[in-house]
Amino acid sequence: MSRRNYGQACSVAGALDRIGERWSLLIVRELLLGPLRFSDLARGVGGAPTDVLTRRLRDLEADGIVRRRRLGPPVGAVVYELTDVGRELEGPLLDLGRWGLNFYRLEDASELEASWLPNALRVILEPPSDATLTVQLRSGDHASILRIADGAIGAQRGEATAPDLTLAGSPRGVIAALVLADDRERVEIEGSPAALERLRAMVRLPDRLREEVTAGQRAARAPSPSRA
């Protein structure tokens, strides 16, 4: 099946010719954290039929956005990873996620998958240029690292050496611990309280979503009506 093409001499149309198909940007989202085998990529993307995912990867490879690489022994597995051109989508993809917050609802956080948590936090955090912080995230069987420096947030899978802060729990719980300063969902927090407060101060949300958060905080603090 041939790809759809806008056929326009416009760089926006040309970009959409290459990444505008369904699942393509979600493939990029998962590979921003590092290489993945096909089976892991399929789980991370969430719901893409195998044949469709295969076609998307083939097209992204053809356009020089993704490449295949065979890991050396003893693993010997084939992984997919972003090329340098593919990694250039990191900024635009995070900006698209921030724009998408205009349509996000607070309750949507309950549907976040553990593998999506690092990029979800990168979308809602805006660090100052002088902030330097290493955050270890653990959610389900996923471990990842956020490295904050020079006004940007890098992310990768794995374990950090001597992180400033460690947050472990469900994606909803970790986000609530930062956005709502609410740790009722059994989030494990290790590290200095100052590091946690610095991270909380970096949260940036659209006004509508911030108002929804504030309303939720007021409702949580309201006393329960007494029984007659």
Side-chain angles (χ1 to χ4, degrees):
M1 181 184 297
S2 60
R3 283 191 287 177
R4 291 174 292 182
N5 191 300
Y6 287 103
Q8 297 181 9
C10 164
S11 62
V12 173
L16 291 175
D17 286 343
R18 289 158 179 82
I19 60 171
E21 293 282 3
R22 191 180 184 196
W23 307 110
S24 293
L25 278 179
L26 298 188
I27 292 171
V28 174
R29 179 195 68 191
E30 295 305 303
L31 295 182
L32 283 175
L33 300 180
L36 285 174
R37 293 177 297 184
F38 184 90
S39 57
D40 296 325
L41 182 57
R43 282 193 294 271
V45 168
T50 300
D51 60 331
V52 175
L53 184 59
T54 299
R55 288 200 300 270
R56 295 293 176 269
L57 285 167
R58 179 197 61 203
D59 293 339
L60 290 169
E61 282 187 82
D63 288 324
I65 297 168
V66 168
R67 63 175 164 238
R68 279 178 291 178
R69 176 167 61 90
R70 181 173 292 278
L71 300 178
V75 180
V78 173
V79 296
Y80 292 87
E81 62 186 4
L82 294 175
T83 63
D84 290 342
V85 170
R87 291 209 66 85
E88 290 179 8
L89 286 166
E90 185 168 30
L93 188 61
L94 294 176
D95 284 341
L96 185 62
R98 295 184 186 105
W99 181 78
L101 289 176
N102 289 298
F103 312 98
Y104 205 78
R105 299 171 300 169
L106 194 58
E107 64 192 58
D108 292 337
S110 63
E111 300 179 12
L112 278 173
E113 297 287 341
S115 66
W116 306 345
L117 179 60
N119 283 324
L121 293 182
R122 295 170 84 194
V123 164
I124 67 172
L125 296 174
E126 184 180 316
S129 59
D130 60 348
T132 302
L133 203 62
T134 298
V135 181
Q136 177 72 61
L137 300 174
R138 297 194 186 100
S139 187
D141 58 355
H142 294 270
S144 53
I145 310 164
L146 299 183
R147 300 189 190 278
I148 300 173
D150 301 322
I153 308 176
Q156 65 184 88
R157 298 180 188 87
E159 296 284 344
T161 301
D164 300 294
L165 187 67
T166 297
L167 302 173
S170 69
R172 176 187 173 91
V174 170
I175 289 175
L178 296 180
V179 175
L180 302 173
D182 183 350
D183 59 0
R184 290 177 297 177
E185 296 199 33
R186 297 183 180 179
V187 176
E188 297 179 15
I189 302 175
E190 298 179 7
S192 73
L196 178 60
E197 290 309 311
R198 288 203 303 273
L199 198 63
R200 284 173 171 163
M202 298 177 195
V203 174
R204 297 290 183 271
L205 299 175
D207 290 342
R208 177 201 55 79
L209 195 53
R210 174 63 70 180
E211 290 169 4
E212 188 177 344
V213 168
T214 302
Q217 288 174 312
R218 285 198 298 265
R221 289 194 297 265
S224 300
S226 58
R227 295 182 178 179

